[in-house]
Structures are given as C-alpha cells and as structure tokens.
Amino acid sequence: MNLPRLNRITHRDLGYLIAGMTIIYAISGIALNHKHDWNPNYIIDNRTFTTGVVISRETLNDETARKIIEEAGGELKYRTFYYPSGNILTIFVDGGSARINTVTGKGEVEKISKRPLFYQVNFLHYNPGVWWKYFSDIFCVALIVVTITGLFIIKGKNGITRRGAILTAIGIILPLIFLFIY
C-alpha cells in the first residue's frame, strides 16, 4: 500500500469516527463560551406572586405552606419550609424554592431544571472523571492525526506547499494574536 493512499484512508476513517465527538465538543464549547450571556446547564424560572394566606411563625405548618404554594401557581411540589430571618419565609419545592415576605404576602418562586442536551454535553466538556480524561486525550490525539493527514491530501497549488501553507500559517497566527491581545 502506498503512503498517499494510507494517508487518505486514515484521514477518512478517523474523521468519520470522531465527527460526532467533534460536534458535541463544539456545541458545548460554544455554550460555555457564552455562559455569561445565558446559563448553558440550567433553565432558571423566576416568577412573582402574592398570597392571601395569613402567615405567622406561630401558626405556620405544612398545610398552610402547601396552600401558599398552590397560590403561587404552576406545578410545584411542596417539600418543607423554614424562616431564614425576620419576616422572610422560604418554602422548598421540587427543583426550587419560594421566598415570601410574611408581612406583605409578596413572594417569588425560583425553579431550576437541567437544560436538555446542553447539561449532558457540558458535563462531558468539564471532564467528569479519570476515564473521561483518557478518552478526551485519545480524542485530542485523533484530532491531531486527522489534521496532519488532512494537510497532505491535496497536492499542487492548493496543497500544503503553497495555498495550504499560507492558510495553515494564518490558522496558527490567529490564536497567537488573541493570546497577545489579552
């Protein structure tokens, strides 16, 4: 088998093998790059409400707390309650909590749920364990091999000795420019 043919076969087969992993890393990488613009892992739902239930430390019990949660609306499953300080009551529900001012009756519910797909792929991007670390290392080596074999597939004026060399050099210089800017 000649070297150019082996190079193309290696590039093609390894490229197909890592295509899905590359897409997952790319999607989670974009999401993590913009974590200051949105939460890629969780959907946080905040809404306000006002309760007409009379609330006092002495009379508050599970039944009263459940009534308050019913008035808050939505599908909230009551868990427990406590007074963190003063006239603020916190009621815990599945996936969140409600904080109510016991004097005014005004409250806010915050519910947190995992963002579908993004939570899972971001978990992988964060390197969740020893085995994933080795898997990621193998994936990175595969990316290097695909990149190097790809450099030598095209010959002539569009290959690595001319146009390809210029574009490869630009691809190396661009990240270095950002490195020096920051």
Side-chain angles (χ1 to χ4, degrees):
M1 183 178 292
N2 65 18
L3 197 56
R5 185 166 190 268
L6 179 63
N7 185 64
R8 282 192 312 277
I9 290 169
T10 302
H11 181 79
R12 179 197 64 209
D13 292 349
L14 199 52
Y16 284 139
L17 183 65
I18 65 173
M21 293 179 279
T22 304
I23 290 168
I24 287 172
Y25 265 102
I27 289 170
S28 64
I30 290 168
L32 293 174
N33 281 345
H34 295 276
K35 65 184 176 187
H36 298 293
D37 301 322
W38 69 305
N39 188 328
N41 292 322
Y42 297 99
I43 298 168
I44 301 172
D45 177 29
N46 289 308
R47 64 180 186 275
T48 59
F49 69 96
T50 303
T51 181
V53 176
V54 178
I55 308 165
S56 72
R57 284 181 182 264
E58 296 77 30
T59 62
L60 186 66
N61 56 30
D62 286 340
E63 183 181 329
T64 307
R66 281 188 173 88
K67 285 180 187 174
I68 295 167
I69 289 303
E70 285 177 19
E71 285 190 4
E75 295 179 16
L76 302 173
K77 184 178 176 192
Y78 170 76
R79 305 296 270 168
T80 190
F81 69 88
Y82 89 110
Y83 276 94
S85 64
N87 60 347
I88 300 300
L89 166 66
T90 299
I91 301 176
F92 294 99
V93 296
D94 279 351
S97 64
R99 291 178 54 86
I100 302 102
N101 182 316
T102 58
V103 174
T104 64
K106 293 185 181 199
E108 181 179 46
V109 175
E110 179 178 83
K111 240 187 129 177
I112 300 170
S113 59
K114 292 177 183 173
R115 192 174 297 279
L117 183 66
F118 283 102
Y119 178 85
Q120 289 79 10
V121 297
N122 288 341
F123 178 75
L124 293 176
H125 207 115
Y126 287 134
N127 193 1
V130 174
W131 290 109
W132 188 257
K133 175 176 74 173
Y134 295 124
F135 179 84
S136 295
D137 289 346
I138 292 166
F139 172 62
C140 290
V141 169
L143 285 173
I144 292 167
V145 170
V146 165
T147 300
I148 291 171
T149 56
L151 292 174
F152 299 100
I153 288 180
I154 306 292
K155 295 179 182 176
K157 68 178 182 171
N158 292 325
I160 189 63
T161 58
R162 294 183 51 206
R163 180 179 183 193
I166 294 167
L167 293 173
T168 301
I170 292 169
I172 292 170
I173 292 169
L174 281 176
L176 294 176
I177 289 171
F178 284 105
L179 181 67
F180 289 114
I181 289 173
Y182 293 102

